């Protein structure tokens, strides 16, 4: 029986990274009372880094069926496929946006007010980006930065067989909309105070000159 330490990828004071199936790792984490209390209370994560499906581009559950069939030979699996109607990936833009929004809404719940949500996305059609925008804004996030990066290698078979291959991924950095609004309000308040102080100093100088 694997333990949580078997999934440990990196660890240093204040940072612990696990690599593996979240359906296995999260229940193990929930055996830790402190972790469960933090997750239930929300606002416990400083950064969330994830990789949502690219709308209807690559259906990972379909690809996984190949390995799933072989796994059935050694037991421990059930059902004929890994596909699930609840999975975020969907060919319908509206359903994809709604399911992704639900995931991002949970991310927002457990993210600290000054925390960041970071993920990568690419798509060749406008409807994919529109669905993503609806999910982000609907979940209460705003995009504060974007970094284009090279996606797959030019020699990758899926890319070479595509009519219009996507050359770049976009790493999107998001924060809570209300947190950004609060920062703007605070910045505007500071500007008003500075302006009032400057005006007061100018009035004092004019008064001294007149005397």
């Amino acid at each position: 029986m694997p333990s949580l330490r078997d999934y440990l990828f990196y660890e240093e004071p204040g940072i612990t990274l696990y690599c593996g199936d979240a359906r296995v790792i999260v229940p193990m984490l929930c055996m830790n009372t402190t972790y469960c209390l933090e997750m239930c209370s929300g606002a416990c994560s400083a950064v969330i880094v994830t990789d949502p499906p690219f709308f209807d581009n690559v259906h990972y559950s379909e690809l996984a069926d190949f390995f799933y069939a072989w796994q059935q030979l050694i037991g421990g699996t059930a059902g004929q496929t890994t596909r699930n109607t609840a999975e975020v990936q969907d060919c319908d833009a509206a359903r994809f946006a709604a399911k992704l929004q639900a995931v991002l809404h949970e991310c927002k719940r457990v993210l600290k007010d000054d925390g960041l949500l970071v993920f990568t996305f690419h798509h060749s059609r406008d409807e994919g980006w529109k669905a993503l925008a609806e999910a982000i804004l609907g979940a209460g996030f705003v995009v504060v930065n974007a970094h284009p990066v090279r996606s797959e290698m030019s020699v990758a078979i899926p890319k070479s067989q595509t009519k219009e291959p996507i050359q770049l991924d976009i790493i999107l950095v998001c924060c809570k909309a209300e947190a950004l609004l609060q920062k703007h309000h605070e910045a505007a308040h500071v500007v008003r105070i500075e302006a009032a102080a400057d005006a007061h100093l100018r009035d004092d100088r004019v008064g001294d000159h007149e005397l």
Side-chain angles (χ1 to χ4, degrees):
M1 183 70 180
S3 68
L4 192 57
R5 299 293 299 182
D6 294 326
Y7 297 96
L8 184 63
F9 179 74
Y10 178 81
E11 186 175 31
E12 67 176 58
I15 299 175
T16 305
L17 299 179
Y18 297 99
C19 182
D21 190 338
R23 294 171 297 181
V24 176
I25 296 174
V26 170
M28 290 183 176
L29 288 171
C30 284
M31 295 177 66
N32 182 323
T33 305
T34 302
Y35 175 84
C36 268
L37 289 174
E38 288 179 345
M39 290 298 290
C40 291
S41 62
C44 61
S45 301
V47 180
I48 296 177
V49 181
T50 185
D51 185 17
F54 302 150
F55 180 30
D56 59 349
N57 262 13
V58 181
H59 287 261
Y60 296 104
S61 57
E62 294 180 11
L63 297 176
D65 281 348
F66 173 81
F67 306 99
Y68 190 72
W70 283 99
Q71 284 180 330
Q72 289 180 328
L73 297 177
I74 60 175
T77 60
Q80 299 299 314
T81 178
T82 62
R83 304 177 199 181
N84 191 311
T85 55
E87 64 188 28
V88 173
Q89 189 147 35
D90 204 300
C91 291
D92 182 83
R95 289 198 299 264
F96 170 73
K99 289 187 285 188
L100 181 57
Q101 178 178 323
V103 173
L104 297 183
H105 191 271
E106 175 64 9
C107 291
K108 181 172 180 282
R109 184 185 73 82
V110 300
L111 191 66
K112 294 180 179 180
D113 288 341
D114 59 348
L116 295 175
L117 167 69
V118 184
F119 61 91
T120 181
F121 192 82
H122 72 222
H123 206 277
S124 59
R125 302 199 312 276
D126 291 345
E127 59 182 319
W129 288 100
K130 181 180 178 182
L132 176 67
E134 290 176 358
I136 293 173
L137 297 176
F141 284 102
V142 290
V143 177
V144 294
N145 213 331
H147 303 275
V149 295
R150 288 273 182 190
S151 52
E152 298 171 344
M153 296 184 297
S154 59
V155 295
I157 293 177
K159 191 171 183 178
S160 63
Q161 294 179 343
T162 303
K163 183 178 180 181
E164 296 180 357
I166 299 172
Q167 303 297 337
L168 296 173
D169 279 7
I170 305 296
I171 298 176
L172 297 170
V173 182
C174 307
C175 73
K176 292 183 177 182
E178 60 267 28
L180 184 62
L181 186 61
Q182 179 64 30
K183 287 182 179 179
H184 286 170
H185 285 165
E186 291 174 355
H189 182 62
V190 170
V191 169
R192 287 194 296 269
I193 292 176
E194 291 177 345
D198 288 342
H200 182 71
L201 289 174
R202 285 196 300 270
D203 291 342
D204 286 346
R205 293 192 194 101
V206 171
D208 292 341
H209 180 71
E210 290 177 349
L211 291 174

